[in-house]
Amino acid sequence: MLVHMNAGALELAQRTASSAGPFAASLAADCSQIALAMRAGAIGDALDAFDSTASRLGRFLTFVVVASELLGHGAPTLGAVLGDYGRRVLACLDRVQHALDRGDLVGLTLALEHGLGPTLGEYCGYAEQVERGLDLRMAA
């Protein structure tokens, strides 16, 4: 049963990997647009947009965590690099959450514009390696 679950997770991660780069780029652009809306004073619209982006962020982070675990078995260096990337995204999300908790709109804008957005955009530098690494795991 565990082997079957791992095979299913690997297959899902492999299929997801092909779209993860554009998905992360889209999330990064969303963060930038939300920050711009906040700077323009459209706070309600910006917060609504961030709220709708939150579930997409969760799905992306789930993929990163699962992929780093799966890669850790066949490509440990890449798995570790992806795991570190996931921790950096989580740290950015912590800063966003902290700003939200304090009602610090300036801090939230900065956390999105200079933290979360650029960090999400960094995934594009890993996307091809992750996809190839998961493909190799699938072939094994």
Side-chain angles (χ1 to χ4, degrees):
M1 176 82 170
L2 182 61
V3 170
H4 179 67
M5 285 176 49
N6 284 340
L10 178 58
E11 183 179 343
L12 180 59
Q14 193 277 327
R15 284 196 319 252
T16 303
S18 64
S19 62
F23 192 79
S26 171
L27 287 168
D30 289 351
C31 288
S32 178
Q33 289 301 313
I34 293 165
L36 284 174
M38 292 185 73
R39 286 185 185 280
I43 305 301
D45 291 342
L47 293 175
D48 287 345
F50 182 74
D51 191 45
S52 68
T53 299
S55 64
R56 293 175 58 229
L57 280 165
R59 288 194 307 273
F60 178 68
L61 271 173
T62 298
F63 163 74
V64 169
V65 169
V66 169
S68 69
E69 286 293 318
L70 290 168
L71 289 168
H73 299 290
T77 301
L78 181 56
V81 167
L82 193 58
D84 179 63
Y85 171 77
R87 285 186 289 281
R88 287 187 288 121
V89 172
L90 283 171
C92 289
L93 282 170
D94 283 346
R95 286 191 289 279
V96 166
Q97 185 62 53
H98 187 67
L100 283 168
D101 291 345
R102 290 188 331 242
D104 178 1
L105 298 178
V106 172
L108 176 60
T109 302
L110 292 172
L112 291 170
E113 191 172 40
H114 299 290
L116 186 57
T119 302
L120 288 167
E122 288 175 20
Y123 182 78
C124 292
Y126 306 119
E128 188 177 313
Q129 288 177 287
V130 170
E131 189 172 359
R132 190 172 36 248
L134 291 170
D135 281 344
L136 290 174
R137 286 268 313 160
M138 190 75 145

